[in-house]
Amino acid sequence: QLEDCLQVAELSLHELQKSHNPEPWSALSRSFLYYCQVMLYGRESSMQFLLDCVQIAQYGLPISTDGLMSRIARAMIRLGRSNEAMPWLDKAAAQGLRYDTGSMGAELHCVRGDAWMALGENAQALQEWNLAEQQMEKHGLYRYADWIRDRRQAVQKLKV
């Protein structure tokens, strides 16, 4: 799945080079490229490039930045920087409230749960996944069901 995302990001960047004014779309495509590089290869050097996309996206396509900030948080967790992920999740939630885009709520709770789990705070992680499940059901976003189930099972295995 991440390999496909990486390929699509590369293709879209290639196509956007033909455009007279590729921003903010180019920044959004770059963000997926750098995100995939971090997630697939643990490439720390891609993190700053990912962060550099935020300002352009906020200015040109602000409704997309909650998703971008969620990807930043996920990348930070992947790099072992879970504490740094939390403020990005707060910013993403605030951005969602600002633009009334409640569709990211389940994902933000899932990512926050992952951050708590990475920090060894399993009770808080479970609480976040419970909130994610509520948001999932409220908005019909059932693509998060596997994520929530898999993380709960992982926590249960740690208790054994």
Side-chain angles (χ1 to χ4, degrees):
Q1 198 174 25
L2 282 170
E3 290 88 356
D4 293 339
C5 178
L6 184 65
Q7 192 173 40
V8 168
E10 289 170 344
L11 289 171
S12 68
L13 283 169
H14 176 73
E15 289 300 314
L16 284 165
Q17 288 176 353
K18 301 173 188 175
S19 173
H20 294 292
N21 188 12
E23 296 299 352
W25 304 107
S26 182
L28 204 54
S29 293
R30 284 192 312 274
S31 77
F32 279 100
L33 176 74
Y34 301 133
Y35 167 75
C36 291
Q37 290 173 347
V38 171
M39 299 304 285
L40 287 169
Y41 313 117
R43 193 173 293 164
E44 179 81 38
S45 60
S46 296
M47 193 69 220
Q48 186 56 52
F49 294 120
L50 179 57
L51 294 169
D52 291 343
C53 295
V54 174
Q55 187 175 4
I56 296 167
Q58 272 188 316
Y59 177 75
L61 199 59
I63 200 166
S64 72
T65 56
D66 55 353
L68 171 56
M69 291 173 182
S70 177
R71 288 191 300 282
I72 288 170
R74 290 176 79 174
M76 288 187 168
I77 294 166
R78 166 69 170 87
L79 294 173
R81 296 163 52 183
S82 296
N83 281 327
E84 294 175 62
M86 298 296 193
W88 285 102
L89 294 168
D90 295 340
K91 290 177 188 180
Q95 192 76 359
L97 289 172
R98 182 176 180 194
Y99 291 97
D100 198 24
T101 56
S103 63
M104 289 295 296
E107 179 165 327
L108 297 178
H109 285 298
C110 281
V111 176
R112 193 178 301 275
D114 288 359
W116 282 122
M117 185 176 172
L119 293 168
E121 299 292 341
N122 294 334
Q124 284 150 313
L126 288 169
Q127 182 178 355
E128 288 296 331
W129 296 320
N130 289 338
L131 292 170
E133 186 173 53
Q134 291 171 14
Q135 288 291 307
M136 174 191 76
E137 291 173 356
K138 178 180 178 181
H139 296 287
L141 299 169
Y142 296 102
R143 67 185 181 127
Y144 295 102
D146 291 342
W147 185 341
I148 296 164
R149 184 197 67 236
D150 292 348
R151 297 312 195 274
R152 285 176 174 159
Q153 289 174 351
V155 167
Q156 289 303 316
K157 287 179 184 177
L158 292 173
K159 290 181 179 180
V160 174

